[in-house]
Amino acid sequence: MSVSALIFDVDGTLADTEETHRQAFNYAFLRFGLDWEWSKARYRELLAVSGGKERIAHFIDTLPLAEGDRVRLRGIVPAIHRAKTELYTELIGDGRCPLRPGVARLLGEARDAGVRLAIASTTTSANVHALLARQMGGSARWFDTIACGDLVASKKPAPDIYRAALAAMGLSSAQAVAFEDSVNGVRAAKAAGLFTVVTPSQWSNGEAFDADLALDHLGDADHPLRPEQARLVGAPWLGLAELRALHAAASGRVVAFGRSAA
Ligand code: XBP
Ligand code: MG
């Protein structure tokens, strides 16, 4: 099956947004009079839990609290998370999180080649739209499917969000490629049967990934891949042609670069 769609994770993949999420969480805690401060080291640990509401609830469960206090705090998690989302979307609006190297280039190549674009993210819908509006403007409409947040009950590493994106596009997993930045995200995409490219972020670098292709980033003329990765890809950056060849090779068909073998 050839590649009919590219499915992108958001946080850490389209843009390096987790530092802004971390700040928004901490501002929200302040707004609620909570003496919680998630340091970068602590946040990196907490990122093992997908979903902001789930992450806050998990954090509460790690605190030495009387049961009554734990229940009360768990009861205000949705309100804290709404405040956090409001703060995050405001922060993201100042342009602090540009698209990562090669993302705009590959999105444009896919668009020009008629390859569909989708999003499969754990983050809240408002966060996705705020980032796309600020960094892509009207081109945000290139994504014909945006599967995110609470659309599915089981968040990454469960495959549900990727399955929802594929179902919405009417595609099988063999027809799409996933782009991720985290262990949870790669696990979700692989469990959904997708060829997966991982471009680790500052929050996930050094982790062990079971991805089909691992690159520092997607690369472009201003940010070429380092030589060993360019050799792996067969070009200075991951273009649609190179991605199609790698996807075909992984699906067992031999591709003489640029055309299917007879
Ligand atoms: C990353 C996440 C999200 C964000 C915070 O999502 O796990 O929870 O950290 O956003 P992605 P919310 O799948 O895009 O990498 O607070 O809205 O969950
Ligand atoms: Mg991510």
Side-chain angles (χ1 to χ4, degrees):
M1 289 272 193
S2 68
V3 177
S4 302
L6 307 185
I7 308 178
F8 286 85
D9 161 57
V10 175
D11 295 311
T13 301
L14 284 184
D16 196 351
T17 54
E18 289 295 354
E19 174 55 14
T20 303
H21 279 297
R22 184 183 74 91
Q23 292 174 17
F25 279 112
N26 288 333
Y27 289 144
F29 300 152
L30 271 177
R31 188 179 283 185
F32 277 76
L34 298 163
D35 64 348
W36 305 342
E37 164 85 24
W38 287 354
S39 67
K40 289 189 176 181
R42 187 77 172 93
Y43 191 62
R44 185 173 175 129
E45 292 167 0
L46 290 168
L47 276 172
V49 178
S50 284
K53 293 189 290 296
E54 296 80 0
R55 193 168 303 143
I56 299 170
H58 166 77
F59 173 72
I60 291 169
D61 288 348
T62 66
L63 298 176
L65 295 167
E67 200 45 33
D69 288 337
R70 187 181 318 284
V71 170
R72 178 180 60 79
L73 286 169
R74 274 187 155 268
I76 61 169
V77 166
I80 297 170
H81 192 253
R82 278 194 297 274
K84 176 264 172 182
T85 300
E86 187 187 311
L87 289 156
Y88 173 83
T89 51
E90 196 178 314
L91 291 171
I92 216 78
D94 73 8
R96 64 180 64 198
C97 292
L99 297 180
R100 290 189 64 189
V103 169
R105 173 191 54 73
L106 188 58
L107 292 176
E109 285 184 36
R111 172 82 174 168
D112 293 347
V115 172
R116 297 165 70 182
L117 295 169
I119 278 173
S121 168
T122 305
T123 197
T124 303
S125 174
N127 298 344
V128 178
H129 292 286
L131 178 74
L132 295 183
R134 186 62 178 78
Q135 296 301 335
M136 296 182 66
S139 311
R141 286 192 296 273
W142 293 359
F143 291 100
D144 69 42
T145 295
I146 295 182
C148 63
D150 295 334
L151 178 70
V152 294
S154 302
K155 294 186 175 176
K156 300 175 186 176
D160 302 41
I161 199 71
Y162 276 102
R163 288 182 177 148
L166 288 168
M169 292 190 286
L171 295 175
S172 75
S173 59
Q175 294 173 282
V177 171
F179 295 83
E180 273 286 351
D181 72 299
S182 68
V183 168
N184 277 347
V186 169
R187 282 182 182 151
K190 292 304 294 177
L194 289 155
F195 179 95
T196 303
V197 178
V198 66
T199 52
S201 68
Q202 58 171 307
W203 300 92
S204 60
N205 57 18
E207 292 177 358
F209 300 96
D210 175 31
D212 296 282
L213 178 64
L215 299 173
D216 296 338
H217 47 71
L218 297 179
D220 56 26
D222 300 327
H223 311 85
L225 294 172
R226 54 191 160 101
E228 58 270 35
Q229 293 186 351
R231 276 195 299 277
L232 188 63
V233 162
W237 48 78
L238 181 64
L240 188 59
E242 290 79 18
L243 183 62
R244 280 177 155 155
L246 290 163
H247 174 266
S251 55
R253 281 191 302 121
V254 175
V255 177
F257 184 72
R259 63 190 180 290
S260 294

